């Protein structure tokens, strides 16, 4: 007779779940036994911290489009999942979290690990249930999977450890709860927008003379259709970070990223367009969109709740991006005037020249742009790249080009540190044998450093570039630019990450001089197995937006006199490309004073 845990795992197998990320504990041992006896049909990937398990489940769902699953014990095991689960919630990744609980008759008695995880998960989960017995599990296991996939969010099942081992014979089945009344099937909708909205969108876009496109993660499976609509409209395509792989970075229509980590041509396209087509993105930084009333808006999104969320739109195409564009594109007239696109392309040539200046500096300390560009240039055509949150994100966004066939992942809306390594490991588990790469900062990497041993254990073909500046660098620049305060509390105690990699059974390299970068990366890329490349880089290399807003520039100048390393920072901003970025701000400020 199957136990509650057996029913759960058999249901997951029926839903084509092949991998569960987690860490054992006494509150989840019944589920662990169900996994042990089914090792030939479902994999258990042991992590070193439950937060990583949730990040991996989220990333696995993003990489594959399938349901990601994570597992944790009662009390602190469950609460450790929350950061990774919020990553899934905010980036709309379907994830099922399974947690244990204390004995069912000791709940709310102040016993050990007496945490009501259903209450703790009430904000993060779109489906959230405490399982009462095996008969209840028959009903809720499928519903949890279906809910996570249908709503692209987090489902949570919490099971008391004694309930996990109870059988169907032990269950008190009500007469209304008939066996097998819920199917283990997924019925997907058509994902097609309303025809009248498609017609309205075509009217708006055909009537505009300067169309800009903003593409996000929802456009990843619509690359061909996105390239077609960009060509028809003569439109530059700015990419939100989650949509970095939506078009190759060398595509003639793309202007690269948008926002503080983006490019100047993307920002200029948004400032000058008279129509905006948003494809699969709710990029959160509203200040980088066109001004309301400047441009007519069209948006494609699977979630009607998100249409018009960031920018007012007149036509909302609710559905799959590829399907919506296949309906829209035949109704568009090819624009003969390519002036708007050509201006953006000229801007991109200038932008690339500026970036090349920072990518070729022989300076000491080593500039992070130099090693980032050299690392990215070596990525093979089928590479998967994961990045962490911090200044390393800027390095990957601006200095590593995505090619056609490559994949890119990051904690998007949550922008959590410590995501890069778990994301990369999940990619290696999802696509065995495919080369995996990560760019991380020393701050985020240290948070989940032990997880590198997971990459060693599962023989992930992983190369991790650690930009080590002994500083929480993005936070330091935000303190200065956002508030006008000197950097404080951001210095980090140095860690020898190359030595740590060796201690965990991997391979470690360290580089600190520009002239050593090429040869060292050649050696690191030739090495087999998980590799850490520790790049000791300039802690005083500023993180700048493509165009400095006047308040950022004013705050930066205010904070600089009391900031440690002032002389080094001043030397950096006196050189290209930062000199030009600052000059853009001065021109804008001078024009404002004249007017």
């Amino acid at each position: 007779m199957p136990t509650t845990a057996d029913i759960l795992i058999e249901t997951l197998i029926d839903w084509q779940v092949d991998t569960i990320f987690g860490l054992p504990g006494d509150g989840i041992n019944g589920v662990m036994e169900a996994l042990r006896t089914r090792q030939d049909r479902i994999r258990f990937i042991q992590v070193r911290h439950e937060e990583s398990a949730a990040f991996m489940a989220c990333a696995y769902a993003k990489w594959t489009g399938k349901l990601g699953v994570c597992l944790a014990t009662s009390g602190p095991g469950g609460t450790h999942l929350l950061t990774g689960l919020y990553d899934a919630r905010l980036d709309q990744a379907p994830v099922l979290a399974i947690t244990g609980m204390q004995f069912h008759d000791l709940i709310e008695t102040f016993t050990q690990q007496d945490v009501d995880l259903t209450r703790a998960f009430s904000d993060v989960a779109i489906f959230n249930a405490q399982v009462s017995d095996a008969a209840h599990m028959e009903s809720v296991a499928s519903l949890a999977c279906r809910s996570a996939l249908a709503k692209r969010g987090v489902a949570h099942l919490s099971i008391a450890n004694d309930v996990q081992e109870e059988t169907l014979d032990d269950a008190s089945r009500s007469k209304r709860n008939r066996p097998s009344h819920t199917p283990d099937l997924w019925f997907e909708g058509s994902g097609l927008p309303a025809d009248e909205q498609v017609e309205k969108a075509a009217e708006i876009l055909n009537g505009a003379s300067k169309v800009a496109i903003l593409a996000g993660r929802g456009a990843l499976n619509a690359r061909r259709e996105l390239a077609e609509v960009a060509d028809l409209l003569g439109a530059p395509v700015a990419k939100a970070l989650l949509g970095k792989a939506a078009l190759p970075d060398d595509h003639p229509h793309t202007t690269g990223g948008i926002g503080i980590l983006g490019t100047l041509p993307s920002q200029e396209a948004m400032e000058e367009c008279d129509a905006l087509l948003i494809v699969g993105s709710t990029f959160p930084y509203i200040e980088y969109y066109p001004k309301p009333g400047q441009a007519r808006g069209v948006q494609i999104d699977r979630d009607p709740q998100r249409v018009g969320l960031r920018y007012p739109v007149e036509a909302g195409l609710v559905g799959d991006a590829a399907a919506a564009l296949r309906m829209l594109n035949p109704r568009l007239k090819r624009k003969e005037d390519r002036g708007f696109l050509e201006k953006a392309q000229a801007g991109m040539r200038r932008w690339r020249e500026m970036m090349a200046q920072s990518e070729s500096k022989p300076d000491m300390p080593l500039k992070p742009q130099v090693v980032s560009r050299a690392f990215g240039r070596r990525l093979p055509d089928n590479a998967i790249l994961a990045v962490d949150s911090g200044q390393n994100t800027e390095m990957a966004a601006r200095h590593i080009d995505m090619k056609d066939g490559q994949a890119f992942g990051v904690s998007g809306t949550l922008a959590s540190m410590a995501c890069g390594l778990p994301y990369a490991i999940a990619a290696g588990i999802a696509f065995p044998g495919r080369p995996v790469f990560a760019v991380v900062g020393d701050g985020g990497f240290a948070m989940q450093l032990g997880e590198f041993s997971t990459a060693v254990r599962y023989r992930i073909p992983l190369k991790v570039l650690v930009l080590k500046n002994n500083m929480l660098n993005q936070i330091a620049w935000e303190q200065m630019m956002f508030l006008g305060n000197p950097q404080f509390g951001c210095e980090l105690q140095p860690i020898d990450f190359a030595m740590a990699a060796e201690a965990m059974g991997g391979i470690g390299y360290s580089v600190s001089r520009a002239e050593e970068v090429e040869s060292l990366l050649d050696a690191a890329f030739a090495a087999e197995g998980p590799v850490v490349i520790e790049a000791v880089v300039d802690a005083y290399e500023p993180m700048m937006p493509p165009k400095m807003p006047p308040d950022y520039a004013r705050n930066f100048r205010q904070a600089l006199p009391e900031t440690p390393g002032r002389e080094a920072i001043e030397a950096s901003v006196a050189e290209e490309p930062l000199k030009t970025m600052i000059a853009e701000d001065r021109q804008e400020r001078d024009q404002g004073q004249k007017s």
Side-chain angles (χ1 to χ4, degrees), residues 246-264:
L247 282 182
D249 279 307
D250 63 356
H251 192 280
H253 280 269
T254 188
T255 53
I258 186 174
I260 195 169
L261 309 180
T263 72
L264 184 58

Side-chain angles (χ1 to χ4, degrees), residues 444-460:
F445 191 52
M447 289 180 175
Q448 294 289 355
L449 180 58
E451 220 60 73
F452 185 76
S453 68
T454 305
V456 173
R457 175 177 184 172
Y458 293 101
R459 300 179 180 177
I460 308 296

Side-chain angles (χ1 to χ4, degrees), residues 60 64 68 179 187 191 213-214 218 243 252 290 297 346 407 415 425 450 514 537 557 560 581:
Y60 193 84
T64 66
F187 302 97
I213 297 175
L214 170 60
I425 293 171
V537 298
R557 289 189 294 271
L560 195 54
M581 293 181 182

Side-chain angles (χ1 to χ4, degrees), residues 25-43:
D26 63 353
I28 205 70
N29 277 339
V31 176
M32 292 301 301
E33 175 62 12
L35 287 168
R36 184 190 71 81
T37 57
R38 293 165 177 81
Q39 295 178 68
D40 57 332
R41 292 189 289 157
I42 190 166
R43 294 179 295 179

